[in-house]
Amino acid sequence: MKTSSCILFFSIICSICSLQGQENQKKIDSILSIIAKTEIDTIKALSYLELSNLTMYNDGKKTLEYIEKADSIYKKSNNDNGVAKLYAQKANYYYRLGKIDSARHYLAKSVDLSFSIGDTLRGAVIRHNIGILDHYQGNTESAKSIMEQNIPIYSKYNDSLHLANALLLKGKIGMYEGFFNIALEETYKALKIHRELKDDFRIAEDLIQIGIIYQTTGENSKAIEIFNESVEQYRKVDNDQSIAQVLNYMVDSKIKLKHFDSARVNLEEAMSISKELDYTSNIARTHYNGGILEYEVENYSKAIKNFELALEIWQSVGSPNNEANSLIYLGRCNLKNKEASKAIGFFDKSIQIAESIKDPEVLSKAYLEKSLALEMSKKHEEALTYFKKNKSISDSIFTIERTKATLELKTQYETEKKEQQIALQDKEITVLEQQAEISTLQKIVLGGGLVLSLIGFYGIRQKLKRNKLEKEKVDAELAFKKKELTTHALHLAKKNEVLEGLRQKAEELKENEVSKKGYQQLIRTINFDLQDDNNWENFSRYFEEVHKDFNRNVKTKYPQVTSNELRLMALLKMNLSSKEIANILNISQEGIKKARYRLRKKLDITTEDSLQDLILSL
């Protein structure tokens, strides 16, 4: 899913300010004192770069001044390491001004120079920022490729900070692709590392992303809670620019929850900060959210004024997606004022932009709104045409969302299996290494000519060690199979839950659709997937590998048990919840209660005895 704006922060190898305001100024004063006292150009240049870092988020003019002073020093020297840092800081500065091409130019120069002088870690860190730009511009495959190249480097250097940043970017990519479960999982991993490092700045960044995920999935109360925590973190590091951004995200959720008074307070603070920093894009975002708030309280004249101000800025900075959305709201406001022809003009402009940037979500909304405006104008046939266009795109979006949901489950499943396989391989390597050590020791002992009794004693000891190692290997294999079985079971449960949700949605849409053929075909496809026995056969194979002879023991002791009841007993053996079992078997939770009751009667279990304990003992 595309978002109208992205919160993206560059990772630069020099330290990012994580000090509170007063301490930050002390740091600046201290560095200025060092510059005044030293005659060494290298120290001066590095000090100016550090100053540019400390002022990056609250004083753009000072930042540029410090960067230029460092540049003038490096022009007179032959310090490739320093120049690589300078290029990275220039990229950071231009990125924050929204000059993406300039930022990319200096990033590429910094990466090339860093790798050429053998500074592999710096090269990876700066290359990460190119991945950020690739993601921002929709080139997710390139961004993923960069992460694949960088993560092994971070691991080699035990660089947990930049490993966490890579996880955070993977989360951003997951959000962009609509894989919200994956995005949340990766971002929480990053947050855990940043909290261990006590990195307030990046903790705040992680929290923004988590808040956006909750907001996008409709959990607005949870999103507000996370955004508030993020704002507090940014206040710790004196980062006003980011506070203004988070406040706008918070306003979005508060409007959806109809907390209008609280939203107004946040909008006023966001506008005050944005104007003070000359933060143009956030000024536009604040006007846009202010317009939505006024629209929701039916103050359409104020809403129009806000949307016009937002539109003017979006057009000046070149943000077509935001332009198109502002135009839709201007059309809606005019439609509420019964000015249908004026509204149609705004919708047409939005459609033109949406078609040029190939944005189906905006296009779908614009088509629907135009059909309503045409209906108000008594142009019924033309209104029906645009309504059908809206339905066609909506159907496509629905199909895409279904595909995304299935693909996300597949990705999670395969990732978990891969991690389990890596863990098993690591264990096998450890066992082999220990066996090699024992073999070497044996050779040394034998070569030393020790007495036979000592050799015999040592041999017995080593045999015990080998047996222990072999047992550990077998235990590791069994643990792997258990994890694989659990992963497969939970994957089945989640898959069926997603499919059932899609089926219900299709049923709802079918009721409002004149032609039901397409929806009926979709429902049949989903029902086929829900009833597919191949998934159960795969599960049964994994289950037998872990719980050998379970099925045979059950059938021997309780021959009256049916195949469906045997399935239920297998899932109870795994200690799964009733909800998970219901999803796997594609029946209601109430159906599971009834099935358990019938099973208890068949197994002749009294009310005092536990069905779960009996099955676990088999």
Side-chain angles (χ1 to χ4, degrees):
M1 171 179 281
K2 294 180 182 178
T3 54
S4 54
S5 63
C6 292
I7 305 289
L8 299 170
F9 297 99
F10 276 14
S11 299
I12 304 300
I13 202 83
C14 46
S15 62
I16 291 180
C17 168
S18 60
L19 303 172
Q20 296 185 18
Q22 192 173 3
E23 292 178 359
N24 190 41
Q25 188 57 50
K26 287 181 181 178
K27 178 86 172 180
I28 291 171
D29 293 341
S30 174
I31 294 172
L32 287 171
S33 174
I34 291 171
I35 291 172
K37 293 176 182 177
T38 186
E39 296 295 326
I40 303 172
D41 283 345
T42 302
I43 294 176
K44 282 187 177 180
L46 284 173
S47 298
Y48 281 127
L49 284 182
E50 181 63 17
L51 285 171
S52 72
N53 213 37
L54 292 168
T55 57
M56 183 70 72
Y57 305 101
N58 47 30
D59 194 338
K61 291 180 181 178
K62 279 288 184 185
T63 300
L64 181 59
E65 177 187 332
Y66 294 137
I67 287 174
E68 288 177 342
K69 285 182 177 180
D71 196 0
S72 65
I73 293 172
Y74 282 129
K75 281 179 179 175
K76 298 182 292 184
S77 67
N78 189 26
N79 187 335
D80 288 340
N81 187 52
V83 172
K85 293 178 183 177
L86 173 69
Y87 287 152
Q89 197 69 339
K90 279 188 175 183
N92 199 12
Y93 172 76
Y94 283 118
Y95 170 75
R96 292 177 195 286
L97 290 180
K99 298 181 179 180
I100 305 301
D101 290 340
S102 296
R104 183 182 287 277
H105 169 74
Y106 282 109
L107 285 173
K109 288 172 73 74
S110 181
V111 170
D112 290 344
L113 189 54
S114 296
F115 279 111
S116 71
I117 61 177
D119 195 341
T120 307
L121 181 58
R122 177 183 296 282
V125 170
I126 306 305
R127 183 167 58 191
H128 172 93
N129 299 321
I130 296 177
I132 289 178
L133 293 185
D134 285 337
H135 162 62
Y136 184 75
Q137 295 176 327
N139 190 354
T140 56
E141 290 307 313
S142 176
K144 286 179 185 178
S145 174
I146 286 173
M147 292 308 101
E148 291 300 321
Q149 294 175 67
N150 282 357
I151 286 175
I153 296 174
Y154 300 146
S155 299
K156 176 183 176 182
Y157 287 93
N158 296 316
D159 190 335
S160 55
L161 171 61
H162 291 104
L163 175 60
N165 293 346
L167 292 169
L168 181 62
L169 184 54
K170 286 177 71 177
K172 293 182 191 297
I173 293 169
M175 282 176 58
Y176 180 87
E177 294 178 327
F179 296 163
F180 298 113
N181 290 329
I182 291 174
L184 200 59
E185 183 180 344
E186 297 295 342
T187 310
Y188 268 119
K189 287 179 185 176
L191 178 61
K192 181 181 178 182
I193 295 173
H194 286 142
R195 279 182 166 154
E196 288 171 354
L197 295 171
K198 295 180 171 57
D199 190 329
D200 290 329
F201 178 86
R202 291 184 174 86
I203 290 170
E205 184 185 3
D206 299 336
L207 290 168
I208 290 182
Q209 184 155 300
I210 291 168
I212 293 171
I213 295 169
Y214 282 125
Q215 183 181 75
T216 307
T217 54
E219 297 184 61
N220 287 292
S221 295
K222 182 68 174 177
I224 291 169
E225 177 188 331
I226 298 294
F227 288 141
N228 273 317
E229 191 178 349
S230 179
V231 167
E232 291 309 308
Q233 289 294 133
Y234 278 127
R235 292 197 197 282
K236 286 183 182 180
V237 298
D238 196 28
N239 189 334
D240 290 340
Q241 177 176 319
S242 296
I243 290 171
Q245 287 178 315
V246 183
L247 287 171
N248 260 315
Y249 278 109
M250 202 182 306
V251 166
D252 190 354
S253 283
K254 287 183 177 180
I255 290 173
K256 287 170 182 170
L257 293 173
K258 301 190 182 304
H259 299 169
F260 299 128
D261 291 341
S262 180
R264 286 187 193 280
V265 173
N266 293 144
L267 281 172
E268 288 172 5
E269 185 180 0
M271 184 61 81
S272 174
I273 294 172
S274 300
K275 285 183 175 179
E276 185 179 344
L277 297 176
D278 195 23
Y279 187 8
T280 308
S281 62
N282 211 57
I283 292 172
R285 175 60 55 193
T286 309
H287 280 307
Y288 180 81
N289 282 336
I292 294 175
L293 192 155
E294 299 298 347
Y295 178 85
E296 290 295 324
V297 299
E298 301 182 4
N299 193 340
Y300 302 121
S301 58
K302 283 189 176 181
I304 288 172
K305 184 178 180 181
N306 272 291
F307 288 126
E308 286 175 342
L309 289 168
L311 179 63
E312 184 180 348
I313 297 173
W314 294 134
Q315 288 171 335
S316 69
V317 299
S319 181
N321 178 276
N322 288 312
E323 284 181 56
N325 279 306
S326 297
L327 288 164
I328 286 176
Y329 265 107
L330 282 167
R332 285 173 176 169
C333 290
N334 281 281
L335 205 55
K336 292 290 186 180
N337 289 333
K338 308 299 182 185
E339 297 185 55
S341 60
K342 197 171 182 180
I344 289 170
F346 286 117
F347 295 140
D348 282 337
K349 289 178 183 177
S350 181
I351 289 168
Q352 185 179 2
I353 294 171
E355 286 176 339
S356 69
I357 62 175
K358 296 180 173 59
D359 190 323
E361 292 182 11
V362 175
L363 197 57
S364 176
K365 287 188 289 186
Y367 281 152
L368 179 60
E369 297 294 342
K370 186 174 179 180
S371 74
L372 296 174
L374 290 166
E375 187 69 22
M376 184 182 286
S377 302
K378 310 297 183 186
K379 298 178 181 179
H380 304 300
E381 288 188 13
E382 196 175 351
L384 181 60
T385 298
Y386 278 93
F387 179 75
K388 286 181 177 178
K389 286 184 176 183
N390 162 262
K391 291 299 293 179
S392 176
I393 295 177
S394 297
D395 291 349
S396 298
I397 292 173
F398 176 64
T399 303
I400 290 168
E401 292 302 322
R402 175 180 182 246
T403 304
K404 281 181 178 179
T406 305
L407 183 58
E408 180 176 28
L409 289 173
K410 181 181 177 183
T411 302
Q412 286 179 296
Y413 179 51
E414 290 177 349
T415 300
E416 287 166 0
K417 283 193 67 174
K418 186 176 181 181
E419 288 173 352
Q420 291 162 14
Q421 288 168 345
I422 290 170
L424 179 59
Q425 288 169 0
D426 288 344
K427 185 66 178 178
E428 288 177 340
I429 290 169
T430 302
V431 170
L432 290 171
E433 287 175 346
Q434 289 175 339
Q435 287 177 333
E437 288 176 8
I438 291 170
S439 177
T440 302
L441 285 170
Q442 285 177 323
K443 290 175 182 177
I444 292 171
V445 170
L446 290 171
L450 293 178
V451 295
L452 184 62
S453 60
L454 182 59
I455 294 173
F457 172 76
Y458 188 80
I460 292 169
R461 184 182 174 189
Q462 298 314 312
K463 184 175 181 180
L464 290 172
K465 280 190 177 182
R466 282 197 301 274
N467 290 340
K468 182 182 177 183
L469 291 169
E470 289 298 333
K471 184 179 181 300
E472 287 178 356
K473 182 178 178 182
V474 170
D475 289 344
E477 289 173 348
L478 181 59
F480 167 71
K481 288 178 180 178
K482 284 182 178 178
K483 286 181 181 179
E484 189 174 38
L485 173 61
T486 304
T487 299
H488 191 81
L490 295 180
H491 170 70
L492 276 176
K494 187 65 178 177
K495 185 209 75 167
N496 285 350
E497 184 179 5
V498 170
L499 287 173
E500 179 59 26
L502 288 168
R503 189 185 65 77
Q504 290 176 6
K505 180 65 175 176
E507 290 278 11
E508 292 171 11
L509 293 171
K510 185 182 74 173
E511 295 301 319
N512 300 317
E513 179 62 37
V514 177
S515 173
K516 301 180 180 180
K517 184 178 179 181
Y519 288 108
Q520 197 59 52
Q521 184 178 2
L522 175 60
I523 292 166
R524 283 199 300 270
T525 302
I526 293 172
N527 284 336
F528 177 79
D529 285 342
L530 285 168
Q531 296 162 7
D532 184 7
D533 279 340
N534 286 335
N535 288 317
W536 182 259
E537 288 175 8
N538 291 333
F539 170 83
S540 298
R541 188 176 69 252
Y542 291 133
F543 185 86
E544 277 295 314
E545 289 179 0
V546 174
H547 303 288
K548 293 185 183 299
D549 299 328
F550 176 80
N551 290 348
R552 184 172 61 81
N553 291 339
V554 171
K555 289 176 182 176
T556 301
K557 195 168 184 180
Y558 304 103
Q560 72 275 30
V561 168
T562 66
S563 58
N564 285 337
E565 288 167 339
L566 188 59
R567 288 186 180 191
L568 175 60
M569 292 176 74
L571 295 172
L572 289 170
K573 176 77 171 176
M574 291 183 62
N575 246 342
L576 296 177
S577 69
S578 294
K579 181 181 178 183
E580 290 163 343
I581 294 173
N583 286 332
I584 291 173
L585 298 179
N586 192 30
I587 58 178
S588 67
Q589 290 190 52
E590 186 62 33
I592 291 297
K593 288 182 182 178
K594 291 177 181 178
R596 288 174 67 115
Y597 174 75
R598 288 193 296 268
L599 184 60
R600 290 178 66 89
K601 288 187 68 177
K602 187 167 285 190
L603 302 183
D604 195 23
I605 301 175
T606 65
T607 54
E608 291 80 16
D609 294 328
S610 167
L611 173 63
Q612 189 81 34
D613 289 346
L614 173 65
I615 291 172
L616 289 174
S617 68
L618 290 172

